[in-house]
Amino acid sequence: MRSPWFNKVSVILGPRPPLSWLLLCLVSVLALIAVLGSSSSGAFDSATPIAVPDIYINYRRLKEQAAVDYLELRSLFLAPTRQREIDLCGKERENNVPCYNVSANLLAGYKDGEEFDRHCELSKEGEQCLIRPPKDYKIPLRWPAGRDVIWSGNVKITKDQFLSSGSMTKRLMLLEENQIAFHSEDGLIFDGVKDYSRQIAEMIGLGSDYEFIQAGVRTVLDIGCGFGSFGAHLLSLKVMPVCIAAYEATGSQVQLALERGLPAMIGNFIARQLPYPSLSFDMVHCAQCGILWDQKDGMLLLEVDRVLKPGGYFVLTSPTSKPYGSSSSTKKRNMLTPIEELTEDICWILLAQQDETFIWQKTSDANCYMNRKQGAIPLCKEGHETLSYYRPLVSCISGTSIKRWIPIQNRSSSSQLSSTELEVHGVQPDDFFEDSQVWRTALKNYWSLLTPLIFSDHPKRPGDEDPLPPFNMIRNVMDMNAHYGGLNSAFLEERKSVWVMNVVPVRAQNTLPLILEQGFAGVLHDWCDPFPTYPRTYDMLHASGLLSHMSSERCTMRDLLLEMDRILRPEATCYIIDRYNNSMSFDLLQGWVVLSDKVGTIEMARTLAAQIRWEARVIDLQNGSDQRLLVCQKPFLRK
């Protein structure tokens, strides 16, 4: 299809204008950009994450159009060399999750549950293609409405699977035509999720679950979270839950939780460590999660111990401990005996038992391990605390000798870390606070930049009566190179109703312990592998300096952009900017992709964006540098 610029030139000069005329037009456009830029040379400075005023107002549309016209005219010369668009995937890949191919894993000899584990080495997807949404897919409802009502066509589980999943499931949700409604007053437990949460608080000695944060419980690893009701309640208490569940060919818990706007990712207690460092969470919760914790010589429970902070809690609610007839006490005791032996060996204390719920507390005293009986589970050797990224499970106790051994009850309830706490993580306070200030300004400037674009391109969005885009258009956010978690902090300070999955690349500085210490969600990941999530699960992706870490890796920019496209919801946004060097990085906001880099790199990214079918435009920063912004939108590709 010819561009509007080509049609205009054709009318004036005929269908085949001389090259000299085209060059003259090119020079004229460049002159127009220069004149406009001189009137407000700093108008686009706010797009870079540095402390400058919000002045992205005047001439925005004119500059934007001039830049677009320039690139469209330039593309006339490049058209013969442009690569064709990437093909669309077939229906069988609508819910594709690379690295989790059960059939291939079985053929490779994996069994005993490992066939449902992550095996990227066996992931051969063949020809690269763009994953389309299902036929009945709809844009999710805004938060908080989207927490309680989702479109049934957006998730893999079917109506028949809902109806066959038992009476408790029927209490949890109501299927009405093409919607699934979750009753927030109900939950996994018979008496309701609120009563269950209050019960846990009382069992650990609190008067109410509103006191979780004051007691040091700010992050919870929720294993096998079902439909996310417990996590949704914890979020209302300002506690950060992270749901992990095994990959499911049908009826995914992780997909349902993310569709509801709740933190979740695919994760298994099978054969490998979780992608979190030691001492990561304040509480680990398992309600009917189906894991036999005494199996594999207790290594599954040792993995819980590894990620649990000193003084943290392990909550186990299991129907297998429900009394049966006159021998109920004996059966309950026999069921718990192996776990009781293991927990005693790893210095856990059984705090309380009520009905089907048991709560253990991990010791706060590292000396406890020295006073155990002979033959106890050994401590891991010095140097074991390296990067924990899908390593095999171990049969030793981790984390006892690292500096971060700080009981959760001894720290402040605020997410603001003290200078002493920062130094424990090897971070200079001045560096941390400067980084926080940068991201406060950056978040405001991102929104100032994208606000007019969102409303001009989305007539169905709010109009002039609502000049700023409501942040609840965005709920699930991923920071693909999170550094200290500054973007997460900025969202919290602005009181925006989003949550952030802070991703620390495995080859970057491991700042994940610092991120988790602030009470944020986070994970380690190698961006040359697919992320452990289902397609269409994030509204916004953000990264700063990501490609500078990947320049010599085994994957390409094309691979990364395709993975970003897979996990982005239709009409999701990408923002790419780098404040540390001249390399490219990625920032994404709902419906848009914005790349900031040198002209040559932007041209390459623009070509890739066109192949991925993102609608792209170029904006000149007009700050005297050779950097440009490439603003893109992921379209809603229908069948």
Side-chain angles (χ1 to χ4, degrees), residues 31 260 437 463 472 610:
R260 297 184 64 189
Q437 181 57 46
N472 59 1

Side-chain angles (χ1 to χ4, degrees), residues 539-559:
D539 303 307
M540 170 181 174
L541 305 180
H542 171 277
S544 179
L546 183 59
L547 289 190
S548 62
H549 292 292
M550 301 179 64
S551 57
S552 61
E553 299 300 331
R554 66 184 188 277
C555 51
T556 65
M557 185 192 303
R558 187 173 189 259
D559 297 327

Side-chain angles (χ1 to χ4, degrees), residues 189-204:
I189 312 306
F190 180 79
D191 292 330
V193 70
K194 289 186 177 181
D195 290 339
Y196 175 63
S197 177
R198 190 179 305 113
Q199 174 189 352
I200 292 174
E202 292 172 352
M203 290 175 70
I204 65 176

Side-chain angles (χ1 to χ4, degrees), residues 115-235:
E115 66 272 22
F116 296 100
D117 212 339
R118 174 184 182 272
H119 298 285
C120 291
E121 68 278 5
L122 300 178
S123 181
K124 296 180 180 179
E125 301 299 335
E127 184 180 359
Q128 292 178 320
C129 57
L130 301 177
I131 294 178
R132 294 178 291 183
K135 179 180 178 180
D136 297 328
Y137 184 87
K138 298 179 183 294
I139 300 298
L141 301 176
R142 293 182 184 177
W143 180 270
R147 174 193 59 200
D148 300 325
V149 179
I150 66 173
W151 302 107
S152 58
N154 290 10
V155 292
K156 200 172 182 181
I157 194 168
T158 66
K159 178 179 178 180
D160 291 340
Q161 290 165 342
F162 275 127
L163 297 178
S164 64
S165 55
S167 59
M168 188 59 66
T169 299
K170 295 174 185 177
R171 291 183 64 247
L172 283 171
M173 59 189 67
L174 176 65
L175 194 62
E176 297 176 345
E177 296 180 355
N178 57 353
Q179 291 183 343
I180 301 171
F182 296 82
H183 299 289
S184 57
E185 292 300 317
D186 294 329
L188 291 172
I189 312 306
F190 180 79
D191 292 330
V193 70
K194 289 186 177 181
D195 290 339
Y196 175 63
S197 177
R198 190 179 305 113
Q199 174 189 352
I200 292 174
E202 292 172 352
M203 290 175 70
I204 65 176
L206 305 179
S208 164
D209 53 0
Y210 287 97
E211 299 178 12
F212 275 144
I213 292 181
Q214 289 82 348
V217 178
R218 295 185 298 185
T219 57
V220 176
L221 183 66
D222 193 7
I223 305 168
C225 55
F227 306 117
S229 297
F230 185 55
H233 178 66
L234 290 176
L235 282 173

Side-chain angles (χ1 to χ4, degrees), residues 33-45:
I33 294 175
V35 171
L36 293 175
S38 63
S39 63
S40 179
S41 60
F44 290 88
D45 288 350

Side-chain angles (χ1 to χ4, degrees), residues 223-398:
I223 305 168
C225 55
F227 306 117
S229 297
F230 185 55
H233 178 66
L234 290 176
L235 282 173
S236 71
L237 303 174
K238 302 189 183 304
V239 175
M240 173 56 68
V242 177
C243 164
I244 62 167
Y247 170 77
E248 299 167 272
T250 57
S252 165
Q253 302 174 66
V254 171
Q255 189 182 37
L256 277 171
L258 286 165
E259 190 66 23
R260 297 184 64 189
L262 306 173
M265 60 175 285
I266 300 172
N268 292 18
F269 276 85
I270 298 178
R272 303 183 186 184
Q273 291 182 350
L274 297 171
Y276 313 116
S278 297
L279 316 184
S280 291
F281 295 94
D282 306 317
M283 178 182 287
V284 177
H285 174 259
C286 163
Q288 305 175 21
C289 63
I291 298 175
L292 300 177
W293 293 105
D294 57 320
Q295 286 189 344
K296 297 191 176 184
D297 298 324
M299 285 195 293
L300 301 181
L301 203 63
L302 284 174
E303 177 64 1
V304 173
D305 179 81
R306 185 184 71 82
V307 300
L308 199 57
K309 291 182 180 180
Y313 305 96
F314 177 55
V315 180
L316 173 63
T317 298
S318 173
T320 58
S321 61
K322 186 175 181 179
Y324 294 92
S326 59
S327 60
S328 61
S329 302
T330 302
K331 290 192 175 183
K332 184 183 298 184
R333 183 170 62 253
N334 291 339
M335 189 280 296
L336 287 176
T337 295
I339 298 181
E340 287 178 331
E341 292 177 353
L342 281 169
T343 54
E344 181 180 348
D345 202 3
I346 59 179
C347 287
W348 287 9
I349 301 171
L350 181 61
L351 281 185
Q353 170 186 346
Q354 184 174 331
D355 300 327
E356 300 175 352
T357 300
F358 302 80
I359 300 181
W360 288 267
Q361 184 176 25
K362 180 175 178 175
T363 184
S364 300
D365 182 10
N367 293 324
C368 173
Y369 302 100
M370 305 301 176
N371 302 324
R372 295 173 301 157
K373 62 185 179 181
Q374 189 175 9
I377 297 174
L379 302 182
C380 295
K381 295 181 180 179
E382 187 175 353
H384 175 78
E385 298 300 331
T386 55
L387 203 63
S388 300
Y389 185 68
Y390 295 110
R391 295 173 58 191
L393 292 174
V394 296
S395 55
C396 58
I397 299 173
S398 307

Side-chain angles (χ1 to χ4, degrees), residues 369-430:
Y369 302 100
M370 305 301 176
N371 302 324
R372 295 173 301 157
K373 62 185 179 181
Q374 189 175 9
I377 297 174
L379 302 182
C380 295
K381 295 181 180 179
E382 187 175 353
H384 175 78
E385 298 300 331
T386 55
L387 203 63
S388 300
Y389 185 68
Y390 295 110
R391 295 173 58 191
L393 292 174
V394 296
S395 55
C396 58
I397 299 173
S398 307
T400 59
S401 60
I402 59 180
K403 293 181 179 179
R404 294 185 289 106
W405 185 278
I406 302 173
I408 64 173
Q409 293 81 7
N410 292 357
R411 67 188 181 197
S412 170
S413 60
S414 170
S415 62
Q416 299 295 325
L417 302 183
S418 66
S419 297
T420 302
E421 290 171 320
L422 289 172
E423 291 172 357
V424 167
H425 291 271
V427 176
Q428 294 298 321
D430 290 345

